[in-house]
Amino acid sequence: MKNLILVGFMGTGKTTVGVALADSLGIAHHDLDAAIIEKEGCSIPELFARHGETYFRDAESRLLSQLLDDGPQVLTTGGGAVLRKQNVEIMLAKGTVIALYASEEELIRRLENDTSRPLLSGGVAERVKTLMAERAGAYDFAPIQVDTTGKSLEAIVDEIKAQVVESAKDGKQ
Ligand code: S3P
């Protein structure tokens, strides 16, 4: 069993799905944002405010690489972990990457009261629209793509498991 790495925009349900997927497969779940918080000893908004986004992205790249040496596991990542090419390369080399999607409308609905994501401060709907446009195509590198809009957690987990089996057969990963 290889590492299964969940990527996707904020609010696509990576962590919730990752916990359920790991549980259903009986393997460990690690979360990249949680590892950053633990290592840095402060929350993500605090980290952005104190040190800036580049510092956060450096910690993210470092811990991504470390965690991927620690599998097999389900690894859930932050929505921006795909922005650096080196991160994408390491994910593709060390696991099977699964991208979760949801419609813009659904993401805005899920994120509208969120205060834990510094990149959304100043107006969630506007920020989601801007970032989704900036990141168009950023998650397309994943060989497995799952739309979560309107689906139950169980249905999403089943769909991922079926697609992982298919992609292993096809030799995609
Ligand atoms: C970010 C997504 C967040 C977190 C940070 C930056 C992003 O994770 O890593 O706030 O750039 O999309 P989630 O996708 O789990 O919200």
mmCIF file of all heavy atoms in Angstrom, residues 1-5 18 20-29 67-75 93-98 144 157 160-165 167-168 173:
data_model
loop_
_atom_site.group_PDB
_atom_site.id
_atom_site.type_symbol
_atom_site.label_atom_id
_atom_site.label_comp_id
_atom_site.label_asym_id
_atom_site.label_seq_id
_atom_site.Cartn_x
_atom_site.Cartn_y
_atom_site.Cartn_z
ATOM 1 N N MET A 1 0.854 -1.213 0.000
ATOM 2 C CA MET A 1 0.000 0.000 0.000
ATOM 3 C C MET A 1 0.878 1.247 0.000
ATOM 4 O O MET A 1 1.813 1.360 0.779
ATOM 5 C CB MET A 1 -0.917 -0.069 1.234
ATOM 6 C CG MET A 1 -1.548 1.238 1.671
ATOM 7 S SD MET A 1 -3.103 1.697 0.877
ATOM 8 C CE MET A 1 -4.148 0.320 1.344
ATOM 9 N N LYS A 2 0.565 2.174 -0.927
ATOM 10 C CA LYS A 2 1.358 3.410 -1.021
ATOM 11 C C LYS A 2 0.722 4.524 -0.186
ATOM 12 O O LYS A 2 -0.404 4.390 0.270
ATOM 13 C CB LYS A 2 1.385 3.883 -2.479
ATOM 14 C CG LYS A 2 2.082 2.934 -3.415
ATOM 15 C CD LYS A 2 1.920 3.394 -4.847
ATOM 16 C CE LYS A 2 2.996 4.383 -5.250
ATOM 17 N NZ LYS A 2 2.957 4.713 -6.685
ATOM 18 N N ASN A 3 1.463 5.619 -0.037
ATOM 19 C CA ASN A 3 0.857 6.803 0.568
ATOM 20 C C ASN A 3 -0.309 7.254 -0.314
ATOM 21 O O ASN A 3 -0.189 7.282 -1.547
ATOM 22 C CB ASN A 3 1.868 7.949 0.599
ATOM 23 C CG ASN A 3 2.968 7.732 1.610
ATOM 24 O OD1 ASN A 3 2.710 7.383 2.756
ATOM 25 N ND2 ASN A 3 4.209 7.946 1.189
ATOM 26 N N LEU A 4 -1.401 7.645 0.307
ATOM 27 C CA LEU A 4 -2.504 8.267 -0.433
ATOM 28 C C LEU A 4 -2.525 9.723 -0.010
ATOM 29 O O LEU A 4 -2.651 10.036 1.180
ATOM 30 C CB LEU A 4 -3.836 7.588 -0.091
ATOM 31 C CG LEU A 4 -3.932 6.098 -0.441
ATOM 32 C CD1 LEU A 4 -5.298 5.547 -0.051
ATOM 33 C CD2 LEU A 4 -3.682 5.870 -1.932
ATOM 34 N N ILE A 5 -2.368 10.627 -0.978
ATOM 35 C CA ILE A 5 -2.194 12.046 -0.652
ATOM 36 C C ILE A 5 -3.408 12.820 -1.160
ATOM 37 O O ILE A 5 -3.718 12.781 -2.362
ATOM 38 C CB ILE A 5 -0.909 12.570 -1.326
ATOM 39 C CG1 ILE A 5 0.282 11.694 -0.934
ATOM 40 C CG2 ILE A 5 -0.672 14.035 -0.932
ATOM 41 C CD1 ILE A 5 1.468 11.819 -1.890
ATOM 42 N N GLY A 18 -10.040 12.445 4.594
ATOM 43 C CA GLY A 18 -8.786 11.739 4.900
ATOM 44 C C GLY A 18 -8.903 10.879 6.144
ATOM 45 O O GLY A 18 -8.437 9.732 6.160
ATOM 46 N N ALA A 20 -11.668 9.615 7.434
ATOM 47 C CA ALA A 20 -12.585 8.495 7.146
ATOM 48 C C ALA A 20 -11.925 7.464 6.226
ATOM 49 O O ALA A 20 -12.100 6.249 6.409
ATOM 50 C CB ALA A 20 -13.871 9.029 6.510
ATOM 51 N N LEU A 21 -11.144 7.936 5.257
ATOM 52 C CA LEU A 21 -10.466 7.022 4.323
ATOM 53 C C LEU A 21 -9.431 6.178 5.065
ATOM 54 O O LEU A 21 -9.365 4.947 4.886
ATOM 55 C CB LEU A 21 -9.796 7.855 3.206
ATOM 56 C CG LEU A 21 -9.014 7.096 2.154
ATOM 57 C CD1 LEU A 21 -9.928 6.177 1.335
ATOM 58 C CD2 LEU A 21 -8.295 8.077 1.200
ATOM 59 N N ALA A 22 -8.627 6.833 5.912
ATOM 60 C CA ALA A 22 -7.593 6.113 6.670
ATOM 61 C C ALA A 22 -8.248 5.084 7.583
ATOM 62 O O ALA A 22 -7.786 3.934 7.689
ATOM 63 C CB ALA A 22 -6.756 7.102 7.477
ATOM 64 N N ASP A 23 -9.345 5.491 8.214
ATOM 65 C CA ASP A 23 -10.063 4.602 9.111
ATOM 66 C C ASP A 23 -10.582 3.383 8.342
ATOM 67 O O ASP A 23 -10.425 2.243 8.768
ATOM 68 C CB ASP A 23 -11.232 5.424 9.699
ATOM 69 C CG ASP A 23 -11.837 4.738 10.878
ATOM 70 O OD1 ASP A 23 -11.063 4.217 11.687
ATOM 71 O OD2 ASP A 23 -13.085 4.704 10.971
ATOM 72 N N SER A 24 -11.143 3.632 7.197
ATOM 73 C CA SER A 24 -11.710 2.525 6.425
ATOM 74 C C SER A 24 -10.628 1.591 5.878
ATOM 75 O O SER A 24 -10.871 0.402 5.685
ATOM 76 C CB SER A 24 -12.626 3.111 5.352
ATOM 77 O OG SER A 24 -12.373 2.594 4.119
ATOM 78 N N LEU A 25 -9.426 2.112 5.652
ATOM 79 C CA LEU A 25 -8.332 1.267 5.148
ATOM 80 C C LEU A 25 -7.475 0.698 6.278
ATOM 81 O O LEU A 25 -6.597 -0.142 6.034
ATOM 82 C CB LEU A 25 -7.428 2.091 4.217
ATOM 83 C CG LEU A 25 -8.048 2.561 2.900
ATOM 84 C CD1 LEU A 25 -7.150 3.585 2.223
ATOM 85 C CD2 LEU A 25 -8.289 1.371 1.972
ATOM 86 N N GLY A 26 -7.689 1.188 7.494
ATOM 87 C CA GLY A 26 -6.887 0.720 8.635
ATOM 88 C C GLY A 26 -5.435 1.177 8.563
ATOM 89 O O GLY A 26 -4.526 0.457 8.979
ATOM 90 N N ILE A 27 -5.202 2.375 7.989
ATOM 91 C CA ILE A 27 -3.837 2.913 7.962
ATOM 92 C C ILE A 27 -3.825 4.280 8.661
ATOM 93 O O ILE A 27 -4.876 4.847 8.943
ATOM 94 C CB ILE A 27 -3.256 3.025 6.524
ATOM 95 C CG1 ILE A 27 -4.106 3.949 5.640
ATOM 96 C CG2 ILE A 27 -3.115 1.659 5.887
ATOM 97 C CD1 ILE A 27 -3.487 4.217 4.264
ATOM 98 N N ALA A 28 -2.617 4.785 8.916
ATOM 99 C CA ALA A 28 -2.490 6.047 9.657
ATOM 100 C C ALA A 28 -2.964 7.232 8.823
ATOM 101 O O ALA A 28 -2.948 7.187 7.587
ATOM 102 C CB ALA A 28 -1.029 6.257 10.046
ATOM 103 N N HIS A 29 -3.385 8.284 9.524
ATOM 104 C CA HIS A 29 -3.695 9.557 8.869
ATOM 105 C C HIS A 29 -2.783 10.620 9.442
ATOM 106 O O HIS A 29 -2.651 10.742 10.660
ATOM 107 C CB HIS A 29 -5.153 9.964 9.112
ATOM 108 C CG HIS A 29 -5.416 11.406 8.779
ATOM 109 N ND1 HIS A 29 -5.727 12.357 9.736
ATOM 110 C CD2 HIS A 29 -5.367 12.073 7.593
ATOM 111 C CE1 HIS A 29 -5.873 13.529 9.147
ATOM 112 N NE2 HIS A 29 -5.658 13.387 7.849
ATOM 113 N N LEU A 67 7.085 13.908 6.030
ATOM 114 C CA LEU A 67 5.944 13.029 6.301
ATOM 115 C C LEU A 67 5.816 11.927 5.250
ATOM 116 O O LEU A 67 5.430 10.807 5.565
ATOM 117 C CB LEU A 67 4.645 13.841 6.362
ATOM 118 C CG LEU A 67 4.417 14.615 7.653
ATOM 119 C CD1 LEU A 67 3.249 15.595 7.494
ATOM 120 C CD2 LEU A 67 4.136 13.676 8.817
ATOM 121 N N LEU A 68 6.151 12.252 3.999
ATOM 122 C CA LEU A 68 5.993 11.248 2.934
ATOM 123 C C LEU A 68 6.993 10.103 3.053
ATOM 124 O O LEU A 68 6.815 9.059 2.433
ATOM 125 C CB LEU A 68 6.058 11.903 1.552
ATOM 126 C CG LEU A 68 4.787 12.662 1.179
ATOM 127 C CD1 LEU A 68 4.964 13.384 -0.146
ATOM 128 C CD2 LEU A 68 3.584 11.728 1.109
ATOM 129 N N ASP A 69 8.021 10.286 3.885
ATOM 130 C CA ASP A 69 8.948 9.183 4.129
ATOM 131 C C ASP A 69 8.432 8.261 5.223
ATOM 132 O O ASP A 69 9.074 7.285 5.574
ATOM 133 C CB ASP A 69 10.326 9.743 4.534
ATOM 134 C CG ASP A 69 11.067 10.269 3.316
ATOM 135 O OD1 ASP A 69 10.789 9.777 2.204
ATOM 136 O OD2 ASP A 69 11.899 11.178 3.475
ATOM 137 N N ASP A 70 7.260 8.575 5.746
ATOM 138 C CA ASP A 70 6.742 7.918 6.935
ATOM 139 C C ASP A 70 5.479 7.108 6.648
ATOM 140 O O ASP A 70 4.651 6.950 7.538
ATOM 141 C CB ASP A 70 6.445 9.049 7.959
ATOM 142 C CG ASP A 70 6.407 8.520 9.369
ATOM 143 O OD1 ASP A 70 6.945 7.435 9.594
ATOM 144 O OD2 ASP A 70 5.796 9.206 10.223
ATOM 145 N N GLY A 71 5.313 6.603 5.432
ATOM 146 C CA GLY A 71 4.077 5.903 5.090
ATOM 147 C C GLY A 71 4.123 4.417 5.382
ATOM 148 O O GLY A 71 5.079 3.977 6.007
ATOM 149 N N PRO A 72 3.137 3.630 4.923
ATOM 150 C CA PRO A 72 1.963 4.105 4.193
ATOM 151 C C PRO A 72 0.969 4.810 5.122
ATOM 152 O O PRO A 72 0.810 4.450 6.272
ATOM 153 C CB PRO A 72 1.352 2.831 3.627
ATOM 154 C CG PRO A 72 1.777 1.752 4.556
ATOM 155 C CD PRO A 72 3.115 2.159 5.096
ATOM 156 N N GLN A 73 0.325 5.809 4.559
ATOM 157 C CA GLN A 73 -0.583 6.641 5.340
ATOM 158 C C GLN A 73 -1.531 7.361 4.375
ATOM 159 O O GLN A 73 -1.265 7.409 3.172
ATOM 160 C CB GLN A 73 0.232 7.717 6.068
ATOM 161 C CG GLN A 73 0.815 8.738 5.084
ATOM 162 C CD GLN A 73 1.948 9.594 5.615
ATOM 163 O OE1 GLN A 73 1.773 10.219 6.633
ATOM 164 N NE2 GLN A 73 3.079 9.616 4.910
ATOM 165 N N VAL A 74 -2.562 7.949 4.934
ATOM 166 C CA VAL A 74 -3.319 8.951 4.195
ATOM 167 C C VAL A 74 -2.764 10.291 4.665
ATOM 168 O O VAL A 74 -2.767 10.587 5.860
ATOM 169 C CB VAL A 74 -4.830 8.863 4.502
ATOM 170 C CG1 VAL A 74 -5.558 10.024 3.834
ATOM 171 C CG2 VAL A 74 -5.402 7.528 4.019
ATOM 172 N N LEU A 75 -2.244 11.082 3.738
ATOM 173 C CA LEU A 75 -1.704 12.400 4.095
ATOM 174 C C LEU A 75 -2.612 13.477 3.520
ATOM 175 O O LEU A 75 -2.830 13.540 2.308
ATOM 176 C CB LEU A 75 -0.287 12.577 3.548
ATOM 177 C CG LEU A 75 0.330 13.944 3.859
ATOM 178 C CD1 LEU A 75 0.559 14.134 5.357
ATOM 179 C CD2 LEU A 75 1.649 14.142 3.121
ATOM 180 N N ALA A 93 5.984 11.297 -6.775
ATOM 181 C CA ALA A 93 7.019 10.257 -6.623
ATOM 182 C C ALA A 93 6.728 9.345 -5.436
ATOM 183 O O ALA A 93 7.080 8.166 -5.461
ATOM 184 C CB ALA A 93 8.384 10.914 -6.452
ATOM 185 N N LYS A 94 6.093 9.898 -4.404
ATOM 186 C CA LYS A 94 5.993 9.134 -3.157
ATOM 187 C C LYS A 94 4.583 8.689 -2.788
ATOM 188 O O LYS A 94 4.352 8.274 -1.648
ATOM 189 C CB LYS A 94 6.593 9.950 -2.011
ATOM 190 C CG LYS A 94 8.095 10.147 -2.205
ATOM 191 C CD LYS A 94 8.777 10.656 -0.973
ATOM 192 C CE LYS A 94 10.282 10.664 -1.187
ATOM 193 N NZ LYS A 94 11.010 11.260 -0.077
ATOM 194 N N GLY A 95 3.662 8.775 -3.707
ATOM 195 C CA GLY A 95 2.319 8.319 -3.364
ATOM 196 C C GLY A 95 1.359 8.399 -4.532
ATOM 197 O O GLY A 95 1.744 8.731 -5.646
ATOM 198 N N THR A 96 0.108 8.095 -4.237
ATOM 199 C CA THR A 96 -0.974 8.263 -5.202
ATOM 200 C C THR A 96 -1.721 9.526 -4.792
ATOM 201 O O THR A 96 -2.172 9.643 -3.648
ATOM 202 C CB THR A 96 -1.924 7.050 -5.147
ATOM 203 O OG1 THR A 96 -1.160 5.880 -5.459
ATOM 204 C CG2 THR A 96 -3.060 7.194 -6.133
ATOM 205 N N VAL A 97 -1.834 10.462 -5.732
ATOM 206 C CA VAL A 97 -2.426 11.758 -5.384
ATOM 207 C C VAL A 97 -3.891 11.804 -5.817
ATOM 208 O O VAL A 97 -4.236 11.456 -6.949
ATOM 209 C CB VAL A 97 -1.642 12.928 -6.019
ATOM 210 C CG1 VAL A 97 -2.142 14.258 -5.444
ATOM 211 C CG2 VAL A 97 -0.141 12.791 -5.792
ATOM 212 N N ILE A 98 -4.722 12.241 -4.891
ATOM 213 C CA ILE A 98 -6.166 12.312 -5.125
ATOM 214 C C ILE A 98 -6.590 13.766 -4.934
ATOM 215 O O ILE A 98 -6.359 14.345 -3.865
ATOM 216 C CB ILE A 98 -6.909 11.427 -4.098
ATOM 217 C CG1 ILE A 98 -6.457 9.960 -4.243
ATOM 218 C CG2 ILE A 98 -8.429 11.551 -4.235
ATOM 219 C CD1 ILE A 98 -6.207 9.281 -2.935
ATOM 220 N N ILE A 144 -6.121 10.975 -9.807
ATOM 221 C CA ILE A 144 -7.481 10.656 -9.347
ATOM 222 C C ILE A 144 -8.181 11.956 -8.975
ATOM 223 O O ILE A 144 -7.663 12.752 -8.190
ATOM 224 C CB ILE A 144 -7.435 9.683 -8.145
ATOM 225 C CG1 ILE A 144 -6.789 8.359 -8.586
ATOM 226 C CG2 ILE A 144 -8.837 9.455 -7.577
ATOM 227 C CD1 ILE A 144 -6.642 7.335 -7.480
ATOM 228 N N VAL A 157 -15.603 8.330 0.105
ATOM 229 C CA VAL A 157 -14.572 7.346 0.494
ATOM 230 C C VAL A 157 -14.633 6.135 -0.440
ATOM 231 O O VAL A 157 -13.597 5.666 -0.946
ATOM 232 C CB VAL A 157 -14.734 6.935 1.980
ATOM 233 C CG1 VAL A 157 -13.877 5.725 2.319
ATOM 234 C CG2 VAL A 157 -14.380 8.108 2.895
ATOM 235 N N ILE A 160 -13.167 7.031 -3.845
ATOM 236 C CA ILE A 160 -11.697 7.109 -3.827
ATOM 237 C C ILE A 160 -11.102 5.703 -3.826
ATOM 238 O O ILE A 160 -10.190 5.400 -4.598
ATOM 239 C CB ILE A 160 -11.199 7.901 -2.591
ATOM 240 C CG1 ILE A 160 -11.598 9.372 -2.709
ATOM 241 C CG2 ILE A 160 -9.682 7.771 -2.437
ATOM 242 C CD1 ILE A 160 -11.296 10.210 -1.471
ATOM 243 N N LYS A 161 -11.643 4.840 -2.974
ATOM 244 C CA LYS A 161 -11.079 3.483 -2.891
ATOM 245 C C LYS A 161 -11.191 2.772 -4.246
ATOM 246 O O LYS A 161 -10.244 2.121 -4.698
ATOM 247 C CB LYS A 161 -11.785 2.694 -1.787
ATOM 248 C CG LYS A 161 -11.280 3.102 -0.407
ATOM 249 C CD LYS A 161 -12.173 2.687 0.732
ATOM 250 C CE LYS A 161 -12.281 1.221 0.977
ATOM 251 N NZ LYS A 161 -13.139 0.939 2.160
ATOM 252 N N ALA A 162 -12.332 2.912 -4.901
ATOM 253 C CA ALA A 162 -12.517 2.263 -6.210
ATOM 254 C C ALA A 162 -11.530 2.836 -7.228
ATOM 255 O O ALA A 162 -10.919 2.097 -8.010
ATOM 256 C CB ALA A 162 -13.951 2.457 -6.687
ATOM 257 N N GLN A 163 -11.344 4.143 -7.195
ATOM 258 C CA GLN A 163 -10.432 4.770 -8.179
ATOM 259 C C GLN A 163 -8.978 4.423 -7.903
ATOM 260 O O GLN A 163 -8.176 4.311 -8.826
ATOM 261 C CB GLN A 163 -10.614 6.288 -8.168
ATOM 262 C CG GLN A 163 -11.909 6.728 -8.818
ATOM 263 C CD GLN A 163 -11.736 8.064 -9.538
ATOM 264 O OE1 GLN A 163 -10.756 8.297 -10.242
ATOM 265 N NE2 GLN A 163 -12.690 8.957 -9.348
ATOM 266 N N VAL A 164 -8.615 4.252 -6.630
ATOM 267 C CA VAL A 164 -7.236 3.866 -6.299
ATOM 268 C C VAL A 164 -6.966 2.468 -6.864
ATOM 269 O O VAL A 164 -5.918 2.223 -7.478
ATOM 270 C CB VAL A 164 -6.984 3.916 -4.765
ATOM 271 C CG1 VAL A 164 -5.677 3.221 -4.397
ATOM 272 C CG2 VAL A 164 -6.966 5.363 -4.269
ATOM 273 N N VAL A 165 -7.924 1.560 -6.704
ATOM 274 C CA VAL A 165 -7.763 0.203 -7.232
ATOM 275 C C VAL A 165 -7.627 0.258 -8.757
ATOM 276 O O VAL A 165 -6.736 -0.357 -9.353
ATOM 277 C CB VAL A 165 -8.962 -0.698 -6.811
ATOM 278 C CG1 VAL A 165 -8.927 -2.030 -7.543
ATOM 279 C CG2 VAL A 165 -8.964 -0.908 -5.306
ATOM 280 N N SER A 167 -6.654 2.776 -10.661
ATOM 281 C CA SER A 167 -5.429 3.425 -11.143
ATOM 282 C C SER A 167 -4.233 2.511 -10.909
ATOM 283 O O SER A 167 -3.281 2.529 -11.683
ATOM 284 C CB SER A 167 -5.249 4.816 -10.539
ATOM 285 O OG SER A 167 -4.497 4.778 -9.387
ATOM 286 N N ALA A 168 -4.287 1.672 -9.872
ATOM 287 C CA ALA A 168 -3.179 0.718 -9.657
ATOM 288 C C ALA A 168 -3.181 -0.309 -10.794
ATOM 289 O O ALA A 168 -2.130 -0.671 -11.328
ATOM 290 C CB ALA A 168 -3.330 0.044 -8.310
ATOM 291 N N GLN A 173 -0.122 4.844 -11.415
ATOM 292 C CA GLN A 173 0.717 5.299 -10.282
ATOM 293 C C GLN A 173 1.610 4.184 -9.833
ATOM 294 O O GLN A 173 1.187 3.050 -9.793
ATOM 295 C CB GLN A 173 -0.161 5.745 -9.116
ATOM 296 C CG GLN A 173 -0.679 7.108 -9.284
ATOM 297 C CD GLN A 173 0.372 8.181 -8.967
ATOM 298 O OE1 GLN A 173 0.811 8.322 -7.848
ATOM 299 N NE2 GLN A 173 0.788 8.910 -9.972
#
